[in-house]
Amino acid sequence: MSNQIDFKRIPKVPELRNRLIFTLAMLAVYRIGVYISIPGMDRAAMSDYLGQNTQGAGGFLNMFNFLAGGALEQLSVFALGIMPYITASIILQIAGVLYPPLERIKKEGEAGRKKINQLTRYFTLVLALVQGIALARGLNALTSQEVVRDTGISSVALIVLTLTAGTAFLMWLGEEITAKGVGNGISLLIMAGIVAGLPSATFTTIEAAFLTQNNAFGPVNLLVLLAIMLGIVAAIVYVERGQRRLPVQYARRAVGGGMVSSQSSHLPLKVNTAGVIPPIFASSLLMFPGMIAGSFGPEAQNLVQASMAPGSWLYNVVYTVMVIFFAFFYTDIMFNPVDMSDNLKKFGGFIPGVRPGAPTAIHINWVLKRITTGGAFYLAVVCLVPFAVTEWFPGVNFYFGGTGLLIVVGVALDTVTKIQSYLISAQYDEFSVDSADRPRL
């Protein structure tokens, strides 16, 4: 299948056209909502603090702002972003492995999936409430500024309810995009936030290189940064498209009184089956302790957020371990070697040199673990690049690092694949209609 998209055909496919329009409209609603401020908070004070503080707690808040699509800087109703939903999804997925009743619910098919989704929504609201309280109570102490103008109970309650409602709306928005649009809605929301910040980040970087007398960053460093970015994008595209193809042979079958010769095929196993999920999961979970610490007072919040600030050695170690863990964990959830072996056996397929049944499942699992190991370490290296970039080039922000590029490129590739599938499906439908209308001789 060609990797090229015939954009001229998109308007001619009604379902795809409508889905793309719906997706763009929902993303536009999201970006408009980013600029709707929470009442009772000082947006200018927050913006100044984030611009002047990039280390310690400031680095933590800048990373949170990066993943929220700039909503924290704007003190928007979407300031918590979609992270509470992602955190709730992670916790319930892990609980589904460790807690038998949840595992039984997951195996109930469509009904079980709906129950899990409903539990995820409820848990998201609980996490949003907790994080909203931490943000409203601890932001002044953390920034040493009066970001929250009134810290009375009624004012804090209004802020918390607004933040919770904003997260609930984003959760609904992401689910609607997934159901009625093109691609994964949650990933597209995160990607839209990152892409929206790229023009401003690009202008700031060019300004630092050419328009200001900055000895720390100049035109040569800008070229080096551009080369690093292009190298990262090339590596991401190469690995995300990479796959291990296990040869599969299908036995000869009797069809219509005759014998059909055996057929050869392959079982594609992606090098990075988990995609962009591990860094998103790891980033959202590492944001959670810093937000919760605000409930225990300013001292605890400052301690946790300073020690776990993005770029610190502890943060980097924990982040790397979590990215690798979620790469394996999500791959195990998405790909079941036992089910794949049973399906091959059911349709008369087998891997040459491997016995059908349990040996095939063991072989598939062994191959999958080997390539996932490479994919997990690739993710870890790419996700650590932004911290090296901000260390080497002072003033350059997270938008030019590996995590942002990984999310943007990964989600873009996934969306392109979905668009291609709709175009191919429409092409088959047109071919079927033409064949039906053609006169038979």
Side-chain angles (χ1 to χ4, degrees):
M1 183 178 64
S2 174
N3 291 329
Q4 299 293 327
I5 293 182
D6 185 2
F7 289 99
K8 296 179 181 178
R9 291 191 60 240
I10 291 178
K12 300 177 182 178
V13 182
E15 182 184 5
L16 178 58
R17 182 183 65 242
N18 294 337
R19 283 179 173 271
L20 284 174
I21 292 174
F22 180 83
T23 301
L24 293 175
M26 293 299 100
L27 292 178
V29 170
Y30 163 58
R31 292 310 304 170
I32 292 172
V34 168
Y35 296 96
I36 301 176
S37 298
I38 303 171
M41 302 188 79
D42 190 342
R43 178 193 293 183
M46 190 68 200
S47 181
D48 290 342
Y49 176 81
L50 291 177
Q52 296 172 9
N53 297 271
T54 58
Q55 303 297 324
F60 166 83
L61 291 178
N62 269 291
M63 174 60 85
F64 192 92
N65 182 58
F66 166 73
L67 293 174
L72 181 61
E73 181 181 3
Q74 301 294 332
L75 289 177
S76 161
V77 293
F78 297 154
L80 291 181
I82 199 65
M83 294 306 156
Y85 178 80
I86 297 174
T87 305
S89 301
I90 299 166
I91 294 174
L92 284 177
Q93 284 183 4
I94 295 176
V97 177
L98 303 177
Y99 187 55
L102 272 179
E103 187 176 6
R104 286 194 292 270
I105 292 176
K106 290 175 66 176
K107 292 181 179 180
E108 292 178 1
E110 183 65 20
R113 187 182 66 83
K114 289 182 178 179
K115 291 179 183 178
I116 294 295
N117 288 342
Q118 196 66 16
L119 287 174
T120 304
R121 296 186 188 106
Y122 291 143
F123 197 25
T124 298
L125 296 180
V126 173
L127 293 180
L129 278 171
V130 174
Q131 292 187 11
I133 293 171
L135 189 68
R137 288 187 56 193
L139 206 54
N140 282 359
L142 190 64
T143 61
S144 299
Q145 300 185 50
E146 292 188 2
V147 177
V148 182
R149 296 192 181 99
D150 183 3
T151 56
I153 295 178
S154 60
S155 178
V156 169
L158 177 61
I159 292 172
V160 172
L161 289 176
T162 303
L163 289 171
T164 304
T167 296
F169 182 78
L170 284 182
M171 176 176 62
W172 173 83
L173 206 63
E175 292 180 348
E176 287 294 299
I177 292 175
T178 302
K180 302 177 183 178
V182 179
N184 183 286
I186 303 301
S187 298
L188 283 171
L189 289 177
I190 298 174
M191 173 187 169
I194 296 174
V195 171
L198 280 174
S200 175
T202 302
F203 176 77
T204 303
T205 305
I206 294 176
E207 184 181 34
F210 295 103
L211 304 180
T212 62
Q213 298 297 323
N214 187 355
N215 295 326
F217 191 82
V220 175
N221 288 340
L222 181 63
L223 292 176
V224 174
L225 177 62
L226 181 61
I228 293 175
M229 288 178 58
L230 292 176
I232 293 173
V233 171
I236 292 172
V237 173
Y238 178 78
V239 176
E240 293 298 325
R241 291 290 186 182
Q243 56 182 225
R244 169 73 184 276
R245 297 185 175 184
L246 287 179
V248 176
Q249 193 77 22
Y250 288 93
R252 299 177 65 184
R253 296 177 297 167
V255 178
M259 295 298 294
V260 178
S261 61
S262 60
Q263 296 180 345
S264 298
S265 183
H266 64 269
L267 178 63
L269 302 177
K270 292 189 64 176
V271 174
N272 180 27
T273 306
V276 300
I277 298 300
I280 293 176
F281 277 13
S283 299
S284 63
L285 279 185
L286 285 176
M287 297 292 108
F288 192 67
M291 299 295 293
I292 295 301
S295 302
F296 298 95
E299 294 79 9
Q301 189 176 35
N302 277 302
L303 177 63
V304 172
Q305 293 183 347
S307 60
M308 289 296 292
S312 65
W313 69 269
L314 181 59
Y315 182 96
N316 289 345
V317 170
V318 176
Y319 186 54
T320 301
V321 171
M322 292 182 72
V323 166
I324 294 174
F325 167 76
F326 281 119
F328 282 96
F329 178 76
Y330 200 76
T331 299
D332 287 340
I333 292 177
M334 297 298 295
F335 200 100
N336 191 328
V338 176
D339 291 345
M340 183 59 64
S341 174
D342 292 341
N343 290 333
L344 286 176
K345 188 176 180 180
K346 184 186 301 183
F347 292 100
F350 63 93
I351 298 175
V354 182
R355 293 176 58 189
T360 297
I362 294 172
H363 179 72
I364 294 175
N365 185 61
W366 177 72
V367 174
L368 188 63
K369 286 291 187 291
R370 280 202 312 162
I371 62 176
T372 301
T373 300
F377 280 97
Y378 139 79
L379 283 176
V381 171
V382 169
C383 291
L384 288 177
V385 167
F387 308 117
V389 168
T390 53
E391 182 72 23
W392 295 337
F393 306 112
V396 174
N397 54 43
F398 295 107
Y399 292 96
F400 300 105
T403 307
L405 292 177
L406 177 66
I407 293 173
V408 171
V409 176
V411 175
L413 289 174
D414 179 66
T415 306
V416 166
T417 302
K418 296 287 176 56
I419 293 174
Q420 286 178 329
S421 66
Y422 280 109
L423 290 176
I424 292 173
S425 177
Q427 189 173 5
Y428 284 154
D429 291 342
E430 292 172 3
F431 178 77
S432 300
V433 171
D434 290 343
S435 299
D437 293 341
R438 191 176 297 123
R440 300 178 182 272
L441 298 178

